[in-house]
Amino acid sequence: MRILVLGSGAREHAIILALRSEDSPHELYAAPGNAGIGENAVIVDVDANDPVSVTEFANENAIDLVVVGPEAPLVAGVADALRERGIPVFGPGRAAAQLEGSKTFAKRIMDAAGVPSGRAIRASTLDEVAAALDEFGAPHVVKADGLAGGKGVLVTPDRTAALAHAASFLPSGAVLVEEFLVGPEVSLFFLSDGDHVLPLTPAQDYKRLGDGDAGPNTGGMGAYSPLPWLSDLFGDENTFVHHVTTEIAEPVIRQLDSEGTPFIGLLYAGLILTEHGIKVIEFNARFGDPETQVVLPRLVDPLSGLLLAAASGTLEDQPRPAFADAVAVTVVLASEGYPQAPVTDRRIRGLDAAASVAGVHVVHAATAEQDGELIATGGRVLNVVAVGTTFAEARDRAYRALSRVELDGGQYRTDIALRVVEA
């Protein structure tokens, strides 16, 4: 197939690497891409957030499938424009993408579908925020209602900090104040064609910047898959996945369809396992980052066939995707100053040495070539992904490879997947 992938981060690079690994070769294009993506796909000069630009390129170049990576093009209506022209696209339309684009919309859908989540209060003024904080008590959870590039959520025991966070987003719209939920978190992806859903495999990511879950929330500093401890709680992973599929994913997809906004694409369920059962923390309308980097390397079935089936409305003809018994660990290398004020334009070296470690590949998140050298262009710069037969082996490979990468001021967590090795 001729496939266009929209996006410029590690998630998109991971998708392209999965497509590139298939037995049947594809012609892969990417916009806007990054330096690593450019080694595996043709970079094209297309504004990924412009429905007209994307649609014209896809039509003029006989693109068979468009895969939308990040959330911004979805909320901008890129998928709608492509569907109007009859071009298969993996990604929901603007209306359904509000499941991620608006926390208030997501809460309403969950309530209508009977899906369990934490209590939440929508606040439009600082006085309303203060009242909601006092009603729920500490720790405080404050979320921007709209898209915030992974920086819209604050969890803190400090009421003053919670108010300040809310104040920074209120000029742009309302915020949600939510009750604090306790328990391990799980990410689970679902492919949807608007009527049917197929689950992928669970993963766990690390949102906090520092070891031991210290520091500010980030876009994610690492992840691992599968989650062996789910067996202790549910008997086996399949029981957990079946429960989330039937009690959370399918009701949400049915509700969206009943409202005339079918969800076609990737439903990301951010879950928390509380003492009162599984609850939804958030939904996203696209593959998660960095969880995608550990889920796709374990996928046995061709990714292209699954994405096209979802885009074409034929998921019911597909078996549940299979995953290898291997384990995968990814560690994010971030720039100095991330997430508040990342220092960019610094030189990156040692990637070939890192990739020479057995079972390791490097996924680019924010890189570019400048004067013949690779430089960092953003906060999360790259991911080292390691696959092994055990978590100990995969962790050792990931950190051994990462030690060979040179980036002045670069920072990363040293405890990714440590809990499953020590368990």
Side-chain angles (χ1 to χ4, degrees), residues 119 121 126-142 157-160 162-163 177-179:
R119 293 179 298 147
I121 297 174
L126 210 53
D127 286 342
E128 291 176 352
V129 172
L133 293 174
D134 293 339
E135 178 173 338
F136 290 140
H140 306 293
V141 181
V142 180
D158 187 338
R159 185 176 183 275
T160 300
L163 286 169
V177 179
E178 299 185 358
E179 70 170 321

Side-chain angles (χ1 to χ4, degrees), residues 369-389:
E369 284 194 16
Q370 186 178 89
D371 299 327
E373 293 193 308
L374 194 66
I375 62 166
T377 60
R380 291 188 296 172
V381 178
L382 55 84
N383 297 180
V384 170
V385 182
V387 177
T389 56

Side-chain angles (χ1 to χ4, degrees), residues 24-383:
S24 299
H26 303 293
E27 292 184 40
L28 302 179
Y29 301 86
N34 60 40
I37 289 173
E39 296 178 358
N40 306 106
V42 177
I43 302 297
V44 295
D45 185 17
V46 172
D47 182 352
N49 296 326
D50 178 16
V52 174
S53 179
V54 173
T55 303
E56 287 182 349
F57 177 86
N59 191 55
E60 292 171 1
N61 292 273
I63 296 298
D64 298 303
L65 175 66
V66 178
V67 180
V68 185
E71 59 273 25
L74 298 172
V75 175
V78 168
D80 300 281
L82 289 163
R83 288 196 179 95
E84 288 173 4
R85 297 291 291 271
I87 300 168
V89 52
F90 183 80
R94 178 191 283 113
Q98 288 302 303
L99 199 64
E100 176 172 2
S102 168
K103 300 292 189 297
T104 301
F105 177 85
K107 284 291 184 182
R108 183 186 68 75
I109 293 294
M110 283 188 276
D111 289 343
V115 169
S117 65
R119 293 179 298 147
I121 297 174
R122 187 174 188 269
S124 300
T125 69
L126 210 53
D127 286 342
E128 291 176 352
V129 172
L133 293 174
D134 293 339
E135 178 173 338
F136 290 140
H140 306 293
V141 181
V142 180
K143 297 181 178 180
D145 187 42
L147 298 179
K151 300 176 183 177
V153 180
L154 178 69
V155 181
T156 177
D158 187 338
R159 185 176 183 275
T160 300
L163 286 169
H165 183 74
S168 69
F169 285 100
L170 283 173
S172 302
V175 300
L176 259 65
V177 179
E178 299 185 358
E179 70 170 321
F180 179 75
L181 300 174
V182 179
E185 296 183 20
V186 177
S187 301
L188 186 54
F189 300 162
F190 296 90
L191 305 168
S192 172
D193 64 4
D195 294 310
H196 301 88
V197 298
L198 286 179
L200 298 186
T201 189
Q204 185 171 69
D205 75 335
Y206 291 70
K207 283 286 188 285
R208 297 282 187 169
L209 179 66
D211 288 358
D213 294 330
N217 272 337
T218 72
M221 295 299 292
Y224 68 90
S225 178
L227 310 184
W229 47 267
L230 284 176
S231 297
D232 298 332
L233 300 175
F234 296 92
D236 57 59
E237 181 179 294
N238 285 334
T239 300
F240 169 80
V241 171
H242 177 75
H243 176 86
V244 178
T245 302
T246 57
E247 300 299 321
I248 293 175
E250 290 177 345
V252 165
I253 295 302
R254 285 196 300 266
Q255 182 63 34
L256 288 167
D257 191 38
S258 72
E259 296 188 7
T261 56
F263 188 100
I264 301 167
L266 196 290
L267 177 66
Y268 166 113
L271 310 165
I272 187 163
L273 314 186
T274 77
E275 60 180 9
H276 303 295
I278 303 170
K279 295 189 177 184
V280 176
I281 302 174
E282 65 175 351
F283 284 121
N284 290 334
R286 38 72 190 181
F287 279 104
D289 185 345
E291 298 98 321
T292 300
Q293 289 85 290
V294 292
V295 168
L296 293 187
R298 298 183 55 234
L299 179 65
V300 173
D301 303 289
L303 178 64
S304 61
L306 293 169
L307 301 186
L308 184 61
S312 305
T314 59
L315 268 188
E316 62 181 325
D317 300 327
Q318 297 285 329
R320 178 176 164 182
F323 291 85
D325 290 335
V327 304
V329 173
T330 187
V331 184
V332 173
L333 176 65
S335 295
E336 180 181 2
Y338 177 75
Q340 293 90 347
V343 179
T344 60
D345 298 327
R346 285 179 170 170
R347 188 172 52 200
I348 308 164
R349 290 179 171 175
L351 296 195
D352 288 343
S356 70
V357 176
V360 166
H361 64 273
V362 177
V363 178
H364 291 235
T367 62
E369 284 194 16
Q370 186 178 89
D371 299 327
E373 293 193 308
L374 194 66
I375 62 166
T377 60
R380 291 188 296 172
V381 178
L382 55 84
N383 297 180

